[in-house]
Amino acid sequence: MSRKDLKHGFSMVDNAFILHFDREVYRKFYPTIDFASFQIIESNDSTFHYFRDKNHVYLESFMNPFTILPEANPADFKILDFKNGIASSNGHDYVFDQKVPYRLKEAKALSEYYQQVNDKIYFNYCKEVKGVDPKTFEVLYGESVKNVAKDKNHVYFRELIVNEADAETFQFLDACFTHTYYRECDHTYYAKDKNYAFYVDTIDKAFKIIKTKSLDQFRFEIVDELGYGIDDRYQYLFGKRSSLKR
C-alpha cells in the first residue's frame, strides 16, 4: 500500500482513495476525481480547502460541502481572498461555491449582504432581488440588521419581498439598537408599520407578523437581559406571545 502526503492533514492511498486525518472523504466524487493530478491549492487545515486536478477545481468550506466549482479552469484558477472565499477563473468570479453572475469589480457593496450592479440589486452576491427600485433602495440598520431593506414599493427580507409590510411606514424600533445588552441582540429585533408589528430574526430567517390590537402602544423593552415586544395586553419573547405580567 502506498500513501502520498497531500499536506494539511490529507493523504492519498494507492491513488484510489483520500483520507483527511485518517478518515476517508469525498468518496462519491471518486468517479470524477483524477487521482494522479489531484492536489491542494490552499487549506486552513480544518474546514476550508481548495483542490484541483487536471479537469476541475474543487471546494469544501464551512459554507458548503465538497463540490466542483462550475466552469472553473484549473489552469488559470486564482484565489483572490481565501478568508472570504473569493476566487476567479475562466472569466468568472466566485464567492465560495457560487459563480457570481457578474464581475465583482462591477459591484457596489450596500451592506455585508446586498450588492448593486448597475440597476440590479443582489443578495449574497448571486440572488437577484426582483421588483426592486434601485434609486430608492436602502438597507435598514445596515451595520446591525444587514439583510432587511426597502424601497418606495416594498420591504425586503434577504432577497424576498415581505408582502404584508408597508414600505412607506415600516421601521425597526429604535430601542432594539441601544447599547443595552439583551439575549440574541445581534440578530433578533422588533419592527412595525401602519398595520402590523413584526418580529425579525435574521439568523433563523424569521419575519413574523404580530397582529396586535394596540399597535400604537407596541414597544420594545429589556427585562432581565431578555428583549420583549410589548403591547397593552401581551408580551412577545422571540416573537412568541404570552400574557403581560408586568
Side-chain angles (χ1 to χ4, degrees):
M1 182 176 72
S2 65
R3 183 161 176 162
K4 178 181 179 181
D5 182 14
L6 300 176
K7 300 185 179 181
H8 302 286
F10 287 92
S11 58
M12 185 185 302
V13 178
D14 293 336
N15 268 3
F17 58 96
I18 300 167
L19 303 179
H20 189 217
F21 297 115
D22 295 324
R23 179 178 64 87
E24 188 175 9
V25 291
Y26 317 143
R27 188 176 186 86
K28 74 175 184 178
F29 283 84
Y30 286 180
T32 303
I33 292 172
D34 179 75
F35 286 91
S37 60
F38 188 78
Q39 61 182 284
I40 295 173
I41 304 172
E42 191 164 347
S43 169
N44 70 351
D45 299 329
S46 178
T47 59
F48 190 2
H49 327 281
Y50 285 96
F51 309 89
R52 67 157 59 95
D53 63 17
K54 68 177 185 179
N55 300 311
H56 302 291
V57 176
Y58 307 87
L59 169 65
E60 180 182 37
S61 79
F62 47 86
M63 296 292 289
N64 61 275
F66 186 86
T67 190
I68 297 171
L69 286 187
E71 298 182 49
N73 182 351
D76 72 355
F77 181 78
K78 293 181 180 179
I79 299 170
L80 305 178
D81 182 345
F82 178 75
K83 180 180 177 181
N84 293 301
I86 297 175
S88 178
S89 175
N90 199 24
H92 304 292
D93 292 327
Y94 299 83
V95 178
F96 292 101
D97 62 329
Q98 300 183 95
K99 183 166 69 74
V100 180
Y102 50 86
R103 298 311 301 262
L104 287 173
K105 64 184 179 181
E106 301 171 356
K108 174 185 176 182
L110 302 180
S111 77
E112 182 178 345
Y113 297 111
Y114 287 106
Q115 300 79 34
Q116 182 170 358
V117 181
N118 299 321
D119 61 348
K120 293 184 178 181
I121 306 293
Y122 291 86
F123 177 78
N124 202 21
Y125 295 99
C126 294
K127 298 176 181 177
E128 185 179 350
V129 183
K130 301 293 187 179
V132 70
D133 177 64
K135 293 182 179 179
T136 59
F137 184 87
E138 60 175 320
V139 182
L140 304 180
Y141 282 94
E143 293 299 315
S144 302
V145 181
K146 301 179 183 178
N147 57 10
V148 178
K150 70 176 183 177
D151 61 15
K152 66 178 183 178
N153 300 312
H154 304 293
V155 174
Y156 304 89
F157 181 41
R158 300 169 65 84
E159 77 278 15
L160 301 176
I161 294 172
V162 182
N163 290 311
E164 298 84 357
D166 176 71
E168 183 176 357
T169 59
F170 180 90
Q171 59 184 346
F172 282 97
L173 301 186
D174 288 335
C176 295
F177 304 95
T178 64
H179 295 288
T180 304
Y181 170 84
Y182 63 92
R183 193 182 304 172
E184 318 296 349
C185 61
D186 61 339
H187 63 95
T188 61
Y189 312 100
Y190 287 87
K192 65 180 181 179
D193 63 13
K194 67 179 183 179
N195 299 311
Y196 304 112
F198 302 89
Y199 169 72
V200 180
D201 186 329
T202 60
I203 291 180
D204 286 346
K205 302 179 184 178
F207 206 109
K208 181 179 180 180
I209 298 171
I210 298 173
K211 295 181 179 180
T212 174
K213 293 184 178 180
S214 54
L215 183 60
D216 59 331
Q217 298 181 42
F218 191 84
R219 61 198 183 277
F220 178 79
E221 292 184 5
I222 300 170
V223 179
D224 297 329
E225 295 189 344
L226 292 173
Y228 291 87
I230 297 174
D231 60 23
D232 65 345
R233 295 183 60 191
Y234 300 104
Q235 60 186 21
Y236 303 84
L237 178 62
F238 302 123
K240 295 181 180 179
R241 189 181 76 178
S242 61
S243 297
L244 188 61
K245 297 178 181 179
R246 52 189 184 280

